[in-house]
Amino acid sequence: MRPDAIRDVRVDAALAGERLDRALMRLGDLSLRAARRLIEDGGVRVDGRTATAALRLRPGQRIEAAAPAADPPRPAGVRLLAREGDFAAFFKPAGLHSSPLAGRGGGSLEEAAQALWAAAFPAEPARLRFLQRLDCATSGLVCAALTDAARQRFRAAEAAGQCRKDYLALLCGELDTPRLADRALDVRNRRVSRVLDRQADPLRHTRLAPLAVWRGAQAAALLAACGLPPAHGPVTLACCTIRCGARHQIRAHAAALGLPLCGDERYAHPQANPPNPARERFFLHHACLTTPFGRWICPPEWPALPPQENRLQKWLESLGRSASMDAKESLVAARSRDRDRV
């Protein structure tokens, strides 16, 4: 049975007490992931209302499901940026999922990148092993290993604190001095990662530093140019540095500092019903990945920034020449510079 064939199903004794997502698996022959995405997209109603995946069904309730709405057109722009030995770096545009999603079409970075590799290196067929995933609305670098051995080397370097990932973000509010977010995150089976009241492993910290701040009319013009809703107060362009990322780490940590990403309703208003990930819009870009095996730099493809944009260009240039960005820098040395803990 397909999802759009579930019409006016009445909960009987066999379904009573079952979670809604599990019931949809049985009724529509769906995987659990596909059932949950159908619910998240608003394609399921119980007694005429949208419901959560965890809803426990009661006898006599009416379930209606429809095929999920089509994703927006897949954005163009996936590119093979460079190859370094057994690693390859790709550019993912905002609006494209990193991985194929059960129950949804629209393509993914991984599918497009595999096709790009086959076209660029027809004599070297390889199954790409992707080492990162970016949120749908996040753009930037994604690295892939060409062999299992290369993937293991990357993970070992990452666990040793030798991989550094630098992002750019537009934040609502004024970040006037570098900050360190060091709280642990609860990411288990959650649509919104929760910041906990305990310290995380240093590999899971997020360092934020301001590059530029806009206020008043300049801030309003910037948000309008980016297609984002207006904000009350300044807007900060910040660099955000992590080593081992957790789900939504930068988004959750920035919001915990009172500086949510501009347009990120999921974390600016965590109590509200989160939007469909495919339709979220905020500005977060993975600009630089530094590893013992290579360094890749990718400027963002954002609308023109107000006059202080030269600070962004200087920061990008510094990534390529600064010895302080060396991937072999010890984690202990990095931690010694992080004084403003939150």
Side-chain angles (χ1 to χ4, degrees):
M1 185 183 294
R2 301 171 320 189
D4 56 356
I6 303 176
R7 301 292 192 199
D8 198 17
V9 174
R10 296 289 177 171
V11 176
D12 57 17
L15 290 176
E18 188 74 272
R19 284 173 51 111
L20 178 59
D21 52 0
R22 301 283 178 177
L24 288 180
M25 290 175 63
R26 295 166 56 182
L27 293 170
D29 192 23
L30 302 172
S31 69
L32 182 59
R33 292 177 65 190
R36 288 178 175 172
R37 291 197 177 97
L38 185 62
I39 296 168
E40 290 174 5
D41 289 348
V44 180
R45 291 182 175 272
V46 178
D47 288 340
R49 298 181 180 180
T50 56
T52 66
L55 175 71
R56 294 288 178 178
L57 298 173
R58 301 191 307 272
Q61 285 184 311
R62 177 186 178 191
I63 303 174
E64 294 178 286
D71 279 348
R74 182 174 62 187
V78 175
R79 300 193 303 275
L80 172 60
L81 297 174
R83 174 184 179 179
E84 291 283 348
D86 290 332
F87 298 90
F90 295 87
F91 170 73
K92 185 191 89 67
L96 182 67
H97 291 290
S98 290
S99 303
L101 300 180
R104 288 185 188 152
S108 69
L109 166 76
E110 292 183 4
E111 294 167 311
Q114 190 68 60
L116 283 174
W117 177 267
F121 298 96
E124 298 182 59
R127 179 179 64 83
L128 301 175
R129 298 143 175 91
F130 288 87
L131 304 170
Q132 305 156 269
R133 288 182 179 177
L134 303 180
D135 292 336
C136 184
T138 302
S139 61
L141 287 160
V142 177
C143 187
L146 306 182
T147 66
D148 285 330
R151 176 172 56 186
Q152 292 170 7
R153 292 200 306 274
F154 181 93
R155 293 301 181 209
E158 195 176 42
Q162 294 178 340
C163 295
R164 174 169 172 155
K165 304 160 189 179
D166 292 284
Y167 288 72
L168 291 166
L170 283 181
L171 308 177
C172 288
E174 182 168 354
L175 177 66
D176 56 2
T177 187
R179 303 286 299 277
L180 176 71
D182 66 354
R183 300 292 91 181
L185 298 176
D186 179 5
V187 301
R188 295 170 299 176
N189 198 28
R190 298 182 62 89
R191 296 174 67 191
V192 177
S193 296
R194 185 164 62 95
V195 179
L196 304 175
D197 189 22
R198 60 178 174 82
Q199 199 172 73
D201 182 284
L203 290 174
R204 304 291 183 178
H205 292 178
T206 302
R207 298 177 61 222
L208 300 93
L211 295 176
V213 178
W214 296 280
R215 303 174 182 84
Q218 276 197 334
L222 172 61
L223 294 177
C226 293
L228 295 173
H232 300 290
V235 172
T236 298
L237 173 66
C239 57
C240 308
T241 301
I242 62 176
R243 292 185 180 269
C244 289
R247 185 172 186 266
H248 297 176
Q249 178 175 322
I250 293 174
R251 298 168 64 185
H253 274 161
L257 294 176
L259 298 163
L261 273 64
C262 296
D264 190 358
E265 295 299 316
R266 183 181 297 257
Y267 285 91
H269 307 288
Q271 303 306 319
N273 187 36
N276 180 346
R279 291 165 176 79
E280 288 182 317
R281 182 172 177 79
F282 49 81
F283 281 77
L284 181 63
H285 176 82
H286 186 202
C288 181
L289 173 62
T290 305
T291 77
F293 321 108
R295 175 183 293 161
W296 297 274
I297 299 173
C298 179
E301 297 181 350
W302 289 355
L305 299 175
Q308 295 183 56
E309 66 179 335
N310 62 323
R311 298 186 187 180
L312 169 59
Q313 184 59 38
K314 290 179 180 178
W315 179 76
L316 290 169
E317 291 171 357
S318 75
L319 294 177
R321 66 172 184 266
S322 174
S324 66
M325 304 292 283
D326 195 325
K328 297 179 181 178
E329 170 190 53
S330 73
L331 185 58
V332 173
R335 290 178 62 191
S336 70
R337 296 194 305 270
D338 298 327
R339 298 178 180 177
D340 296 321
R341 297 185 178 274
V342 297

